[in-house]
Amino acid sequence: QVQLVESGGGLVQAGGSLRLSCAASGSMSSIFSYFAMGWYRQAPGKQRELVAVITGGLITSYADSVKGRFTISRDNAKRTVYLHMNSLKPEDTGVYYCTTRPLRTDTAQPDYWGQGTQVTVSS
């Protein structure tokens, strides 16, 4: 079992920055460093979309809409993954979730999700 707890969301003006955190705990968290981790977001009335992925080997990938503005990172000693968000836009508004299975077809990864953290960007 893995529990994921996100934090760091809030209300910010366009152009501002936020840093989201996702802390892992539980009986499987000792192998956290081997997991690929990812952040999804869901805007009101829209499907959940993949924002960023970081593999166990620290390879990162991003949705086109956030490239150059968002950075995903991880601290395996703290069992925490981060999403650094800069130059925020109103269209970045949504609930942000972290997951241990960012690529939905990768059944080798356990499938855990956090409860989500709300990000609201005002214009």
Side-chain angles (χ1 to χ4, degrees), residues 57-80:
L58 304 182
I59 297 171
T60 59
S61 60
Y62 300 91
D64 288 342
S65 59
V66 307
K67 279 181 183 175
R69 300 188 299 120
F70 289 12
T71 302
I72 189 170
S73 64
R74 66 192 299 164
D75 183 336
N76 289 332
K78 294 182 179 180
R79 297 176 186 175
T80 301

Side-chain angles (χ1 to χ4, degrees), residues 12-93:
V12 63
Q13 288 188 330
S17 300
L18 284 174
R19 187 185 77 162
L20 306 184
S21 301
C22 172
S25 62
S27 58
M28 290 183 64
S29 63
S30 59
I31 58 172
F32 171 82
S33 62
Y34 298 101
F35 298 162
M37 296 292 295
W39 287 93
Y40 278 75
R41 68 185 179 191
Q42 187 165 22
K46 294 188 177 181
Q47 288 189 330
R48 196 172 293 189
E49 63 170 342
L50 181 61
V51 174
V53 178
I54 185 166
T55 69
L58 304 182
I59 297 171
T60 59
S61 60
Y62 300 91
D64 288 342
S65 59
V66 307
K67 279 181 183 175
R69 300 188 299 120
F70 289 12
T71 302
I72 189 170
S73 64
R74 66 192 299 164
D75 183 336
N76 289 332
K78 294 182 179 180
R79 297 176 186 175
T80 301
V81 62
Y82 303 97
L83 186 66
H84 306 257
M85 306 187 293
N86 297 318
S87 303
L88 282 162
K89 303 175 181 180
E91 51 263 44
D92 295 318
T93 293

